[in-house]
Every structure is written in C-alpha cells, then in structure tokens.
Amino acid sequence: MSQVQTQEPQPDFIIRSRAALEDNHLQEALEKAGSGFVYKRQAAIERIGNFEQLRDQARQVRVRALKHLDLYLLHFEKKVQNAGGQVHWAETPEQMREIVIGLCQAQNAKTATKGKSMVGEEVDLNEALEAAGVEPQETDLGEYVLQLAHERPSHIVAPALHKTKAQVQSLFRANHALGERALDEVADIVNEARAVIRDRFLQADVGITGANMLIAETGTAAIVTNEGNGDLTATLPRTHIITTSIDKIVPTWEDASAILRVLGRSATGQDITTYTSFFTGARSERDKDGPEQFHIVLLDNRRSELLGSEYEEMLHCIRCGACMNHCPVYQAVGGHSYNSVYPGPMGAVLTPLLRHEEQDNQLPNASTFCGRCESVCPVRIPLPGLMRKLRDREQREAKHASVSTLAVKLFCRLSRHPVLYRRLTHFSLKLVSMIRGRKSRFRTLPLMSGWSRHRDFPAPDNGSFQSQWQQRHKGTNHD
Amino acid sequence: MTDSRSRILDRIGRSTGGHYDADTIEATFQALSHQQTGAPVQPEMGLTDPVATFTAEAGRNGARVAELESMTQVTQWLRDNVRDATTDANFHLSPAIIGRSLDWSGLNTTAETPAAAGSWGVVQAHTGIAETGTVMSLSDECPSGLLFLVERLVVVIARRDIVGYQEEAWQRLKARGALPRTVNWITGPSRTADIEQQIQIGAHGPREADYLLIDEQ
Ligand code: SF4
C-alpha cells in the first residue's frame, strides 16, 4: 500500500485553499469536527481551578529543557543504553529513513506495524519502507483510513479529520473483502478495523511508534494514545523502533507530569488520555513481556538551528493541535491546504523553518492574526508574532520585490511626508471619482483582484479622511 | 552516523554553551535537576480523599468501579458478572493474581494469547492515581500485552495503593529501583474519535474496564 498522493498538490496555498472551499466532502467533515474540540477543551479546563498556572508550569518545563538540551539528550542516551536500548541520531529526513530501514533489514523484517508518528510523516517513512521491501501497516484508525485512501494527515491529532463517515465506509468496502455487511454506524466501522488490524499486531516483525516526550532522567519515552494501538505496536513485536525529534526532551518525570496535565486537556478535552505509556529500553529478564530490541531515532532536520534564534519558542510545541482547532483559516480550508504534515498556525511557522521551500513562504500569511492560537496554546507560543517575523524575513529575502512589497514600501515613504501624502490622496480620489462616474461600487480594481474577485469595493465619496476632517473643523470649535 | 551525532550536539552547544564529557554528564544533570523551580503545580480539584476522587474520576473516564472488601471476593464478583455476559468468558490472569490461590471454580482460566471475543483480563494495579482515576501497571509484575489484548479488563486495586497526584506515583516508582521496560497508565476503556470526531468506546484495546477496590493488610 502506498501513501503517495494520487495527485501532486498545487504548489500554491491560495489555489489549494480555493479548491478546499469548493470541496463539499471536506466542508462537511470540517463542519462536523468544527466546534467539538473547542467545547471539549473549554469544559476540561473549567473543571479545574488553575489551568493558567498549569500552562505557565508547562511552558517553564519547555524553556528549561531547551536551555540545556544537549546535556539532557546526552543523559537520555546514556540511560537508554544502560537499559539495553540504542539511540541513533539523524540530521536529515534521509538519514532517518536510512537508519530505520537498516534496523528493519537487520531483523529481516517483512512487515512493520506503525503507531502514529508525525516525525515519521515528516520524513515520508512509509514510502521508504515499502521501497525497501518492508510493508508498513498503519494501526491508528485515522492513519489506517489514510493509508487506504493514499492520503496524508490533515491534522496532527486527528489525522483523518477531513474524511466523512461515508468516505470511510466506501474505503472499507473497497479494501476489505468481507461481503455484505452493515457499516452504517461508527461502531461498525471501528469494529471492522479492530478485527482486520488485530492479527497484524501479533504477526509484525517490527513495531514503529512516535513519542510525545523523552524523559532525560531515566531514558524513558512517553506515548499518549486512546486506541491502544500504540502499545500493541510497541510491545508485541521483537523490535520496537521510535521515530522522534530532539526537541521532545523533558528533564524529569515531574516535568513530564507538567506537560501531561496540559496536553490532553488542550488536545481532546481529556484530563488524561486512556493510555499513557512509558518505555525504558528493551525487555529485561525481570519483565513479563516486551521487545528484545529497542531503538530510538532522533531527528534534527534544522531544529538545532532554531535554538537560540528568534524562532526558538516554536520548539516548545507539544503537538496538541489546539491552535488549529481554534484557527478560522484552518477551519475554513482544512489541513491539506498547507501541503505539509504540520498544518494550521503551528505549521505556518514550523513548515517554512524546517522545509525551506519557496511555496512555504505563503504559509505565514495564511492568518487573520486574530490571536486565538496564541491564546489557547498550552505552552504560550506567540504564534502570530512568529508568523510576523517570518513574513518580514520573507520580504527581506524576496529576490524580486512583489507588488505588495512595493506598495508597502511606497506607503512607508509617503506616510513620512504628510504634504505629499495629502496631495496624492487628494489626487487619487479625484482620479477615482472620474473613473467611477456615478457608480457607488467597483467590480474590479487594478492590482487588487484578490479582493475584488469575491466582493465589490465601495467607491469613496466626499474626499479623503484628512480633507473631510478639515472641512468639518472649519465650522466647529474643538475643545 | 557518529558524525551526525556530534554535528547535532555541536549546533545545540552553540546555543546552550554546554560542553560535556562523558564523566560529568551525570553530576551536571543531578545538579541541574535539583535546582528545579519550586513545588509542582497540581490541578485544583478539591482532592482531599484520594479513594473518593479516584472513584469519581475513573467513573467519569468510563471505568466501572466496584467496592469490595478483600481479594477473596474478586472471583465471586467475576462469577456474578460473567452471568450477565453474553459470550463464554476466558480469564487471563496476571502472575500476581495467579499467586493468590483464589477459588476459580466455575471460571475458565487460560494461559493462551487473548484473542476471540469473551476474553477477560484480571490484573492487580501497582498504584492508583486519584487525580485522573488512573491505574498504573508495571511490566515486571504484569505482561503489558495482557492489558490491551483482552475484551474486558478487570483491575484489582488496594485502597492503600491509591495516591492523590502523579508525583506520588513517581515517588513510589522510583523507590522500587530500576524501572521496568514498560509503565502503563490506564484510564478507562480504549476509545477512538477518528471517525467524524464521534467518541467510540472499544478501539484496539479493551471495550470495558472494571476497577475493583479491595482492602489489603
Ligand atoms: S503551537 Fe501550541 S497549540 Fe499549536 S500544537 Fe503546538 S503546543 Fe499545541
């Protein structure tokens, strides 16, 4: 099964968004998911008296973890080794793929069950495994649906959020040769997936999962899930491989608690997910079960360059998804419009920083700057501020100044010369009133088709703000 | 990939200013983690009686809690509940439960891998955490797979093993010495919301979770 998208996505956020707005299935799915996350989170934080303090605490943990990141990584590595595991370091996605494939081949693995891993998605692990003759088997229900559909996740917590129940039904009917059966209820779908995937857990040669946190104190990887697939993937095969990134470190178990207390509440409105599991090394002779081999592959992919930069705070992210659940842009156009495994506000910041592709420059502009993302982020990442910095960077670096850059530059100059500004606005208004004749609205505006395509622009009358102000104050005494 | 390792650590070191050699890591880590900022911030939820809060929170998260007096009542409770179940039940027991020589008459116990419908797991938790109604199981006491493969998971927990907040569970864990390979926290039955964000109980793990509270000396 391949995860390659059937069509190459459009290289342009605006074009992709327009298509998303016209996609009825997507709009139906977004509608259904929409406010659920928001209400559940709100209810969860209202059940306790001090959520704001918990956020502060979580943020402090992230700050401390990054401040001595190298020390914590080294301590983590040593503890993993002491517990019979191995740590591998990958600078690039390519290196991570090579390492994981090497580990699978050393085991002669034919199949690998997979728990959800955004880092695995970031490095396109599934395609690489397939090409190397190892069949990746997604086990998280959302990821499994996407594997059948040959699609990418559209949300970091609910990967198949863009799929409707009807779409999942047809995927199951097309892919499971199970004859006539009812699949109308969500329960039918979940039961069928459970039955189909159960044997795979028991037979897989390798299990590959992500990690939500790495606890430096003891070399422990923590994973939070609700379905139980992550644990079956981590526990049953003889080899467990974790694909994760260097920024997931927290110093101690107490620090892990500080993150756990905000993670579930922010993500799904749960005070804790059904399963929180802590894996330390390989099975020892005292353990009743567990894998004989344990490997953690740590991805950098430019994260270390963000440390100490003006974007460092992005490394605080604990991947809860709250920012996208509360983002009007994400809610309108869905995750695929961002053409990245990291969508929404966090993706609009992270994607340009990690991927450095030309098309990513549009992402920091995919925001209304309403500020809801920052106000719900459990570790208080100033997402709009970071997007603004990226916009500035893009404009500084733009090889050819765009029309909008020129316009802004022109405005900056003009605004510093009041007389010229007044003359010019006066002139333009005259010009405008000549063009419009007796019209009260413009249907098209030169250089502003993005605005006028979907709405008319009201034609100004009675002169500029400044000239009107002067007119009015001629006759009034201002005190 | 040793080169990747040192290049990544070098880049991080440029920002942290850290230069560590293998001998000083442990001491520096201990020194740093001891200058932690103050006491932990725990959720304000009026937690005064851990057993009462545990019961309430576990219930809210979808587990059924039964109040028993002692371990010897566990098998009778199972017999009573199996009668209501629709399928024949096979009982998969954790080593700690097997070691208790209980009266299993009328109950079909097995050591096979739990598979088909009707598999029940009976295990004893190491610790209960009131804060979230969570039970903690350790892979050097109970195979982790057993917790996930059965259809219905019955967790016996002694009231004296229930603590208030997560930090107390960490203390108990660290006091035991070397960590087991897997520490499992379980809060209610498995679930998914991956289809149209509707919560469906019973994903890949147990569809039902029962917590039996007992007293132990
Ligand atoms: S940026 Fe904040 S809100 Fe968004 S996923 Fe990361 S932690 Fe959650």
Side-chain angles (χ1 to χ4, degrees), chain A residues 156 314 317-323 346 377-379 381 383:
Chain A
I156 58 172
M314 199 56 230
C317 176
I318 58 171
R319 306 288 190 266
C320 73
C323 54
M346 59 80 76
C377 176
V379 287
I381 300 175
L383 292 156

PDB file of all heavy atoms in Angstrom, chain A residues 156 314 317-323 346 377-379 381 383, ligand 1:
ATOM      1  N   ILE A 156      -2.780  17.152  13.206  1.00  0.00           N
ATOM      2  CA  ILE A 156      -1.713  16.432  13.904  1.00  0.00           C
ATOM      3  C   ILE A 156      -2.242  15.499  15.001  1.00  0.00           C
ATOM      4  O   ILE A 156      -1.547  14.597  15.432  1.00  0.00           O
ATOM      5  CB  ILE A 156      -0.644  17.389  14.494  1.00  0.00           C
ATOM      6  CG1 ILE A 156      -1.264  18.382  15.470  1.00  0.00           C
ATOM      7  CG2 ILE A 156       0.099  18.123  13.384  1.00  0.00           C
ATOM      8  CD1 ILE A 156      -0.223  19.205  16.228  1.00  0.00           C
ATOM      9  N   MET A 314       9.245  28.134  18.951  1.00  0.00           N
ATOM     10  CA  MET A 314       8.480  27.133  18.209  1.00  0.00           C
ATOM     11  C   MET A 314       8.845  25.728  18.671  1.00  0.00           C
ATOM     12  O   MET A 314       8.034  24.803  18.574  1.00  0.00           O
ATOM     13  CB  MET A 314       8.727  27.307  16.705  1.00  0.00           C
ATOM     14  CG  MET A 314       7.659  26.645  15.843  1.00  0.00           C
ATOM     15  SD  MET A 314       5.992  27.220  16.217  1.00  0.00           S
ATOM     16  CE  MET A 314       5.127  25.663  16.397  1.00  0.00           C
ATOM     17  N   CYS A 317       6.662  23.588  21.220  1.00  0.00           N
ATOM     18  CA  CYS A 317       5.395  22.972  20.812  1.00  0.00           C
ATOM     19  C   CYS A 317       5.287  21.523  21.289  1.00  0.00           C
ATOM     20  O   CYS A 317       6.205  20.727  21.120  1.00  0.00           O
ATOM     21  CB  CYS A 317       5.274  23.022  19.291  1.00  0.00           C
ATOM     22  SG  CYS A 317       3.805  22.189  18.662  1.00  0.00           S
ATOM     23  N   ILE A 318       4.142  21.179  21.899  1.00  0.00           N
ATOM     24  CA  ILE A 318       3.914  19.808  22.359  1.00  0.00           C
ATOM     25  C   ILE A 318       2.896  19.087  21.468  1.00  0.00           C
ATOM     26  O   ILE A 318       2.382  18.031  21.834  1.00  0.00           O
ATOM     27  CB  ILE A 318       3.475  19.767  23.837  1.00  0.00           C
ATOM     28  CG1 ILE A 318       2.192  20.580  24.052  1.00  0.00           C
ATOM     29  CG2 ILE A 318       4.606  20.290  24.738  1.00  0.00           C
ATOM     30  CD1 ILE A 318       1.579  20.407  25.448  1.00  0.00           C
ATOM     31  N   ARG A 319       2.603  19.659  20.299  1.00  0.00           N
ATOM     32  CA  ARG A 319       1.790  18.986  19.276  1.00  0.00           C
ATOM     33  C   ARG A 319       0.380  18.620  19.773  1.00  0.00           C
ATOM     34  O   ARG A 319      -0.074  17.494  19.570  1.00  0.00           O
ATOM     35  CB  ARG A 319       2.483  17.709  18.775  1.00  0.00           C
ATOM     36  CG  ARG A 319       3.904  17.890  18.276  1.00  0.00           C
ATOM     37  CD  ARG A 319       3.945  18.611  16.937  1.00  0.00           C
ATOM     38  NE  ARG A 319       5.276  18.559  16.368  1.00  0.00           N
ATOM     39  CZ  ARG A 319       6.213  19.505  16.515  1.00  0.00           C
ATOM     40  NH1 ARG A 319       5.958  20.588  17.245  1.00  0.00           N
ATOM     41  NH2 ARG A 319       7.397  19.389  15.954  1.00  0.00           N
ATOM     42  N   CYS A 320      -0.284  19.580  20.418  1.00  0.00           N
ATOM     43  CA  CYS A 320      -1.619  19.280  20.944  1.00  0.00           C
ATOM     44  C   CYS A 320      -2.706  19.556  19.912  1.00  0.00           C
ATOM     45  O   CYS A 320      -3.820  19.053  20.021  1.00  0.00           O
ATOM     46  CB  CYS A 320      -1.878  20.095  22.207  1.00  0.00           C
ATOM     47  SG  CYS A 320      -2.152  21.839  21.863  1.00  0.00           S
ATOM     48  N   GLY A 321      -2.425  20.409  18.940  1.00  0.00           N
ATOM     49  CA  GLY A 321      -3.415  20.705  17.898  1.00  0.00           C
ATOM     50  C   GLY A 321      -4.411  21.794  18.260  1.00  0.00           C
ATOM     51  O   GLY A 321      -5.257  22.157  17.442  1.00  0.00           O
ATOM     52  N   ALA A 322      -4.338  22.341  19.485  1.00  0.00           N
ATOM     53  CA  ALA A 322      -5.326  23.350  19.886  1.00  0.00           C
ATOM     54  C   ALA A 322      -5.303  24.556  18.954  1.00  0.00           C
ATOM     55  O   ALA A 322      -6.350  25.136  18.646  1.00  0.00           O
ATOM     56  CB  ALA A 322      -5.083  23.793  21.330  1.00  0.00           C
ATOM     57  N   CYS A 323      -4.104  24.940  18.494  1.00  0.00           N
ATOM     58  CA  CYS A 323      -4.034  26.149  17.649  1.00  0.00           C
ATOM     59  C   CYS A 323      -4.834  25.967  16.362  1.00  0.00           C
ATOM     60  O   CYS A 323      -5.513  26.887  15.918  1.00  0.00           O
ATOM     61  CB  CYS A 323      -2.579  26.527  17.362  1.00  0.00           C
ATOM     62  SG  CYS A 323      -1.575  25.218  16.644  1.00  0.00           S
ATOM     63  N   MET A 346       0.565  26.350  13.921  1.00  0.00           N
ATOM     64  CA  MET A 346       1.900  25.830  14.255  1.00  0.00           C
ATOM     65  C   MET A 346       2.651  25.437  12.983  1.00  0.00           C
ATOM     66  O   MET A 346       3.863  25.633  12.868  1.00  0.00           O
ATOM     67  CB  MET A 346       1.833  24.672  15.259  1.00  0.00           C
ATOM     68  CG  MET A 346       1.036  23.444  14.859  1.00  0.00           C
ATOM     69  SD  MET A 346       1.859  22.287  13.746  1.00  0.00           S
ATOM     70  CE  MET A 346       2.973  21.469  14.856  1.00  0.00           C
ATOM     71  N   CYS A 377      -2.738  28.193  23.115  1.00  0.00           N
ATOM     72  CA  CYS A 377      -1.536  27.347  23.120  1.00  0.00           C
ATOM     73  C   CYS A 377      -1.107  27.041  24.552  1.00  0.00           C
ATOM     74  O   CYS A 377      -0.840  27.956  25.334  1.00  0.00           O
ATOM     75  CB  CYS A 377      -0.396  28.034  22.368  1.00  0.00           C
ATOM     76  SG  CYS A 377       1.143  27.084  22.462  1.00  0.00           S
ATOM     77  N   PRO A 378      -1.051  25.756  24.932  1.00  0.00           N
ATOM     78  CA  PRO A 378      -0.781  25.410  26.333  1.00  0.00           C
ATOM     79  C   PRO A 378       0.606  25.851  26.796  1.00  0.00           C
ATOM     80  O   PRO A 378       0.815  26.009  27.999  1.00  0.00           O
ATOM     81  CB  PRO A 378      -0.898  23.880  26.356  1.00  0.00           C
ATOM     82  CG  PRO A 378      -0.701  23.452  24.943  1.00  0.00           C
ATOM     83  CD  PRO A 378      -1.258  24.560  24.100  1.00  0.00           C
ATOM     84  N   VAL A 379       1.546  26.044  25.866  1.00  0.00           N
ATOM     85  CA  VAL A 379       2.881  26.478  26.282  1.00  0.00           C
ATOM     86  C   VAL A 379       3.159  27.911  25.823  1.00  0.00           C
ATOM     87  O   VAL A 379       4.300  28.350  25.768  1.00  0.00           O
ATOM     88  CB  VAL A 379       3.976  25.505  25.782  1.00  0.00           C
ATOM     89  CG1 VAL A 379       3.928  24.221  26.594  1.00  0.00           C
ATOM     90  CG2 VAL A 379       3.796  25.170  24.302  1.00  0.00           C
ATOM     91  N   ILE A 381       3.074  29.740  23.037  1.00  0.00           N
ATOM     92  CA  ILE A 381       3.935  30.124  21.921  1.00  0.00           C
ATOM     93  C   ILE A 381       3.299  31.331  21.223  1.00  0.00           C
ATOM     94  O   ILE A 381       2.118  31.287  20.882  1.00  0.00           O
ATOM     95  CB  ILE A 381       4.091  28.960  20.912  1.00  0.00           C
ATOM     96  CG1 ILE A 381       4.705  27.746  21.622  1.00  0.00           C
ATOM     97  CG2 ILE A 381       4.960  29.374  19.714  1.00  0.00           C
ATOM     98  CD1 ILE A 381       4.787  26.501  20.764  1.00  0.00           C
ATOM     99  N   LEU A 383       2.429  32.541  18.458  1.00  0.00           N
ATOM    100  CA  LEU A 383       2.355  32.140  17.050  1.00  0.00           C
ATOM    101  C   LEU A 383       2.183  33.319  16.084  1.00  0.00           C
ATOM    102  O   LEU A 383       2.915  33.412  15.093  1.00  0.00           O
ATOM    103  CB  LEU A 383       1.249  31.092  16.860  1.00  0.00           C
ATOM    104  CG  LEU A 383       1.560  29.741  17.529  1.00  0.00           C
ATOM    105  CD1 LEU A 383       0.276  28.976  17.824  1.00  0.00           C
ATOM    106  CD2 LEU A 383       2.486  28.900  16.665  1.00  0.00           C
TER     107      LEU A 383
HETATM  108  S1  SF4 C   1       1.707  25.518  18.773  1.00  0.00           S
HETATM  109 FE1  SF4 C   1       0.824  25.354  20.818  1.00  0.00          FE
HETATM  110  S2  SF4 C   1      -1.367  24.998  20.404  1.00  0.00           S
HETATM  111 FE2  SF4 C   1      -0.295  24.564  18.473  1.00  0.00          FE
HETATM  112  S3  SF4 C   1       0.111  22.358  18.520  1.00  0.00           S
HETATM  113 FE3  SF4 C   1       1.916  23.375  19.380  1.00  0.00          FE
HETATM  114  S4  SF4 C   1       1.562  23.393  21.589  1.00  0.00           S
HETATM  115 FE4  SF4 C   1      -0.414  22.969  20.637  1.00  0.00          FE
END
